[in-house]
């Protein structure tokens, strides 16, 4: 039995999805214009589809799982489970208005016309905030809607904000923070669930590795306790004696977010010869 996965045929999530599967040790031949392929070393069949169609294919059981933007899952309202967030394809769905619009709070959207490709998410946002507004659903070039008189505001995906700036708009509200997710059918067979569990295990190992660094340093033994106290590690740091008497080698793992603060503290505490090595996989 094979697990069938749907990924974006082209676009911002395609390359990262293929990269993730390869980092999980799954060998995929993703030739140009191929709609379907199989992994050579894992029971996985890959479908290349439009991202907007992926939730429907999963709900219908044509695909067992899929990698798709969280925003698409929430907009399409299909019966799928979000199994794992994948830490790539991050963006935000935001409200934006013309720079001349005097905006102070979400209440200023009352009785406005909002252009968007995400009417379901926008409607839920307006209802949560008690706002009545007219939603215009359009499929592309949402940012030009205020300039041509179609809408007073827009709600669209934003990454850098440069497109809004070039169209005379300013971002005023974040409606949703989104990233790529692994979504699954509600009704997987036991064998399919076992394969999904194996895939998720590999994905989590890859994700942990990306957020951590392996660190090696030399420490004078009289400062060893102070230095060890700065290193959380997975359980506790590894300490090995050096050939030079009075010194030890300390090995540990650091979280990317805490990395520079801890490195500076280690130097102050007397650590020397600090080496930092990327981690490819991290299984705990």
């Amino acid at each position: 039995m094979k697990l069938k996965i749907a990924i974006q045929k082209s676009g911002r999530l395609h390359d990262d999805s293929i990269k993730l599967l390869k980092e999980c040790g799954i060998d995929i031949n993703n030739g140009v214009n191929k709609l379907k392929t199989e992994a050579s070393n894992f029971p996985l069949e890959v479908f290349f589809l439009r991202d907007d169609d992926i939730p429907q294919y999963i709900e219908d059981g044509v695909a067992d799982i899929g990698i798709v933007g969280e925003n698409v899952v929430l907009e399409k309202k299909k019966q799928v489970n979000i199994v794992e967030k994948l830490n790539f394809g991050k963006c935000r769905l935001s409200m934006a208005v013309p720079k001349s619009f005097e905006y102070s709070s979400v209440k200023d959207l009352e009785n406005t016309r909002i252009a968007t490709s995400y009417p379901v998410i926008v409607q839920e946002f307006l209802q949560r905030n008690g706002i009545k507004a007219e939603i215009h659903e359009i499929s592309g070039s949402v940012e030009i809607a205020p300039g041509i008189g179609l809408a007073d505001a827009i709600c669209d995906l934003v990454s850098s904000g440069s497109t809004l700036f070039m169209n005379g708009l300013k971002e005023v509200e974040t409606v949703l923070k989104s990233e790529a997710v692994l979504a699954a059918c509600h009704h997987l067979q036991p064998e399919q669930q076992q394969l999904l569990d194996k895939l998720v295990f590999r994905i989590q190992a890859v994700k942990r590795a990306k957020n951590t660094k392996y660190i090696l340093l030399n420490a004078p033994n009289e400062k060893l306790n102070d230095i060890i106290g700065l290193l959380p590690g997975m359980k506790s740091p590894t300490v090995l004696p050096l050939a030079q008497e009075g010194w030890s080698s300390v090995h540990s793992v650091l979280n990317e977010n805490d990395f520079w603060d801890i490195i500076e503290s280690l130097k102050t505490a007397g650590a020397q010869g600090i080496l930092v090595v990327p981690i490819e996989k991290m299984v705990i």
Side-chain angles (χ1 to χ4, degrees):
M1 176 174 285
K2 292 183 181 295
L3 193 66
K4 296 174 290 186
I5 183 171
I7 68 172
Q8 195 172 10
K9 181 180 179 182
S10 61
R12 64 190 184 92
L13 296 187
H14 171 84
D15 292 343
D16 284 337
S17 299
I18 293 294
K19 180 182 177 184
L20 174 64
L21 293 176
K22 290 184 176 180
E23 288 174 335
C24 290
I26 299 173
D27 187 18
I28 295 172
N29 179 12
N30 58 316
V32 178
N33 296 326
K34 293 187 75 170
L35 298 178
K36 185 174 74 169
T37 190
E38 292 187 8
S40 61
N41 58 351
F42 191 87
L44 191 71
E45 189 172 10
V46 184
F47 300 147
F48 300 102
L49 304 171
R50 289 181 65 253
D51 60 340
D52 287 351
D53 295 335
I54 290 176
Q56 182 69 65
Y57 277 92
I58 297 173
E59 182 183 69
D60 292 344
V62 175
D64 304 313
I65 60 175
I67 296 177
V68 65
E70 186 178 7
N71 55 296
V72 176
V73 174
L74 297 177
E75 177 65 26
K76 296 302 179 181
K77 291 291 184 184
K78 301 301 179 182
Q79 295 299 307
V80 302
N81 292 326
I82 293 179
V83 177
E84 186 81 15
K85 295 191 175 186
L86 301 177
N87 286 347
F88 63 82
K90 292 187 177 183
C91 61
R92 59 191 182 275
L93 186 63
S94 293
M95 290 284 182
V97 297
K99 292 178 181 177
S100 60
F101 192 113
E102 294 185 5
Y103 189 93
S104 58
S105 75
V106 68
K107 298 300 181 182
D108 292 325
L109 295 173
E110 184 76 26
N111 295 323
T112 57
R113 298 166 298 161
I114 302 172
T116 186
S117 300
Y118 298 91
V120 172
I121 296 175
V122 171
Q123 185 60 53
E124 290 177 349
F125 172 79
L126 295 174
Q127 288 176 347
R128 286 197 305 271
N129 288 279
I131 304 297
K132 291 184 178 179
E134 183 180 337
I135 297 175
H136 290 265
E137 181 180 0
I138 55 180
S139 58
S141 301
V142 175
E143 65 276 358
I144 70 169
I148 62 176
L150 178 63
D152 306 302
I154 71 165
C155 188
D156 201 14
L157 290 180
V158 177
S159 52
S160 67
S162 59
T163 302
L164 295 179
F165 180 80
M166 287 187 296
N167 285 275
L169 301 173
K170 59 184 178 182
E171 188 177 353
V172 293
E173 295 286 344
T174 299
V175 175
L176 172 72
K177 290 183 178 179
S178 178
E179 64 184 273
V181 297
L182 182 67
C185 176
H186 274 295
H187 307 294
L188 293 178
Q189 298 297 321
E191 297 88 346
Q192 295 170 321
Q193 184 62 52
Q194 289 177 1
L195 290 174
L196 175 57
D197 292 343
K198 289 181 179 180
L199 178 59
V200 170
F201 176 79
R202 296 188 186 192
I203 289 172
Q204 290 175 343
V206 170
K207 284 172 57 181
R208 280 192 293 267
K210 288 182 177 178
N211 291 330
T212 53
K213 301 290 185 184
Y214 191 77
I215 182 171
L216 304 88
L217 59 87
N218 297 329
N221 288 344
E222 67 268 19
K223 300 288 185 66
L224 199 54
N225 288 336
D226 293 338
I227 289 172
I228 288 174
L230 297 170
L231 294 168
M234 287 182 288
K235 291 188 180 297
S236 64
T238 299
V239 180
L240 301 171
L242 290 178
Q244 182 177 345
E245 189 175 347
W247 285 79
S248 296
S249 175
V250 182
H251 300 209
S252 189
V253 172
L254 294 183
N255 186 283
E256 183 76 39
N257 296 331
D258 304 325
F259 177 76
W260 285 111
D261 288 340
I262 293 179
I263 290 293
E264 292 168 0
S265 298
L266 289 171
K267 286 288 291 180
T268 302
Q272 297 181 16
I274 300 173
L275 298 179
V276 180
V277 183
I279 300 174
E280 185 175 328
K281 308 287 188 298
M282 187 171 172
V283 180
I284 58 174

